[in-house]
Amino acid sequence: MEPAALERFHSPGKGSGLRSRRRVRPGELLYRDVPFAYVLSKAQLGSVCERCLNGELHRCSQCKVAKYCGRSCQKEAWLDHKQECRCLKSIEPNFPPDSVRLAGRIVFKLVICPSERLYTFSDLQSNAERLSEEMKDGLRHLAQTLQLYLKTEIQDESQLPPAIDFFQIFTKVSVKIWLLDNS
């Protein structure tokens, strides 16, 4: 189904959603897209290609962390990995939590490619009001960790567009982030 056949709607207390403008057959594909940003968990690193998630692997010659099944996957992944690669090298021997790497990729994507298809990142609902003070403190700590991780690429947060707020990135994906880093 083409995106024009879908419409966005707001559901109070739940955020935004998508619905079809026409009758849908059971099993019909409604929408497909590539993920805006993703990372392999630390446990999965080195076991699958960072791009296609398959294959015999060859390490990134720069950071030695990312692995790819071949040159074509490495080349296709370079736009997403280039800045992350420099950040990973800059904090060696330390390694950031999965959530910080994911948030870093989101920041880079927002800076490089500010408009997405059906939604923009800023359309995502913040969950800040639903979080306990303990969770907010944890997310503030992750935001500070993200700032240190990105320091090689973004020396000053004021260089970023005003819509990019490190703490808000974590509040928009907070439930999954909290589970990633505390499991």
Side-chain angles (χ1 to χ4, degrees):
M1 179 178 285
E2 300 87 42
L6 298 173
E7 70 177 346
R8 291 174 45 184
F9 68 95
H10 181 74
S11 178
K14 295 182 181 177
S16 298
L18 290 176
R19 62 180 158 223
S20 175
R21 294 179 176 210
R22 66 169 176 80
R23 197 167 196 57
V24 178
R25 295 184 319 272
E28 180 180 354
L29 178 63
L30 298 177
Y31 182 73
R32 180 187 333 204
D33 203 351
V34 295
F36 181 66
Y38 67 94
V39 294
L40 295 176
S41 69
K42 191 172 183 178
Q44 293 172 313
L45 280 172
S47 63
V48 296
C49 173
E50 292 250 350
R51 178 72 182 156
C52 70
L53 309 177
N54 294 315
E56 184 181 323
L57 305 175
H58 308 281
R59 242 186 343 199
C60 170
S61 62
Q62 300 292 314
C63 69
K64 312 278 192 265
V65 173
K67 293 188 178 182
Y68 303 97
C69 61
R71 288 262 178 239
S72 64
C73 275
Q74 187 171 12
K75 189 175 179 180
E76 287 177 32
W78 185 242
L79 184 63
D80 288 335
H81 180 63
K82 182 173 137 178
Q83 293 171 301
E84 174 186 54
C85 186
R86 290 190 288 250
C87 291
L88 288 168
K89 285 181 5 184
S90 76
I91 63 166
E92 285 180 326
N94 297 317
F95 195 81
D98 297 340
S99 59
V100 170
R101 288 180 39 245
L102 177 60
R105 282 194 174 190
I106 290 170
V107 169
F108 296 143
K109 203 75 163 241
L110 290 172
V111 170
I112 293 168
C113 170
S115 65
E116 300 133 54
R117 294 191 181 105
L118 288 173
Y119 285 97
T120 62
F121 190 80
S122 61
D123 288 333
L124 294 178
Q125 181 175 330
S126 170
N127 293 300
E129 69 282 349
R130 295 181 180 167
L131 301 175
S132 68
E133 283 306 313
E134 179 186 6
M135 284 186 78
K136 286 180 186 175
D137 287 344
L139 295 179
R140 283 186 198 98
H141 178 73
L142 285 174
Q144 290 171 341
T145 304
L146 176 62
Q147 187 175 14
L148 291 172
Y149 173 63
L150 298 178
K151 192 166 41 172
T152 300
E153 293 296 303
I154 301 168
Q155 288 79 28
D156 183 4
E157 278 185 71
S158 66
Q159 298 172 327
L160 296 170
I164 300 177
D165 175 297
F166 292 166
F167 178 73
Q168 284 300 316
I169 287 172
F170 286 107
T171 65
K172 290 181 180 193
V173 292
S174 61
V175 174
K176 292 182 191 233
I177 295 280
W178 191 257
L179 291 174
L180 272 175
D181 288 333
N182 291 298
S183 57

